[in-house]
Amino acid sequence: MVVRGEDGYEIDTAPDRLNVVLVHHIALVHHRLSTGAFWALGRSRETVEQSVRASLGFGVYHPGGPPVAHARVVTDLATFARSCDVYVAPTHRGMGLGTWLAATVRDHLVPCRPKRVLLSTLDAHQVYERVGSVPFPDPQKMMVLNAPGPPP
């Protein structure tokens, strides 16, 4: 799927294009996440590569250039989806790309009909609210398993 904006940017989910990005621009994506995204600081290149391969990827491209923003969705394409690693390069922020990317992710998942699409954000609540996200209704029901393994 390719979605083009009037400003020349495009969002693409084509695995072949994303694989090209993975091969040719993985150093860029890894650098952005491991040094510029608080949730992924220090993440290894191998982890970034594996996470991209195992997810539904969205790349935002300016014509003729590397990706300027990206997101990935962990999903079974039927009941569950989690949006993660959403990143817009600093030089491309403030242009509405994050909102456009979030809306494109939302719209791409509509035919799958997941019950909800989860995401976690520290500082981008307004971006996600613009595309219909709301605070989790019952956060006390959520659980997290850190570093899976048997209990101590």
Side-chain angles (χ1 to χ4, degrees):
M1 171 197 76
V2 176
V3 179
R4 289 185 179 84
E6 294 177 12
D7 54 6
Y9 287 92
E10 60 185 31
I11 298 177
D12 195 348
T13 61
D16 56 338
R17 186 170 186 185
L18 292 173
N19 287 340
V20 169
V21 168
L22 185 62
V23 170
H24 295 290
H25 299 294
I26 192 64
L28 174 64
V29 172
H30 170 253
H31 177 75
R32 286 177 178 164
L33 289 174
S34 67
T35 65
F38 67 87
W39 66 90
L41 293 176
R43 189 177 289 174
S44 74
R45 181 172 169 153
E46 294 76 22
T47 298
V48 171
E49 289 177 8
Q50 175 61 26
S51 68
V52 170
R53 280 191 200 101
S55 302
L56 175 61
F58 294 78
V60 180
Y61 305 89
H62 198 270
V68 299
H70 44 80
R72 63 186 188 89
V73 176
V74 178
T75 182
D76 60 10
L77 297 174
T79 63
F80 173 80
R82 178 175 181 260
S83 182
C84 49
D85 288 345
V86 180
Y87 184 88
V88 178
T91 55
H92 295 269
R93 292 180 185 162
M95 302 167 58
L97 294 177
T99 300
W100 183 40
L101 180 56
T104 301
V105 168
R106 176 202 61 207
D107 295 347
H108 188 83
L109 293 171
V110 166
C112 302
R113 301 180 61 201
K115 183 173 181 175
R116 59 177 53 100
V117 178
L118 299 177
L119 62 94
S120 177
T121 183
L122 181 64
D123 57 0
H125 293 79
Q126 290 180 337
V127 169
Y128 296 106
E129 288 169 350
R130 286 184 201 119
V131 301
S133 293
V134 296
F136 197 81
D138 301 307
Q140 69 278 7
K141 293 182 181 178
M142 294 293 292
M143 300 289 291
V144 62
L145 178 61
N146 292 314

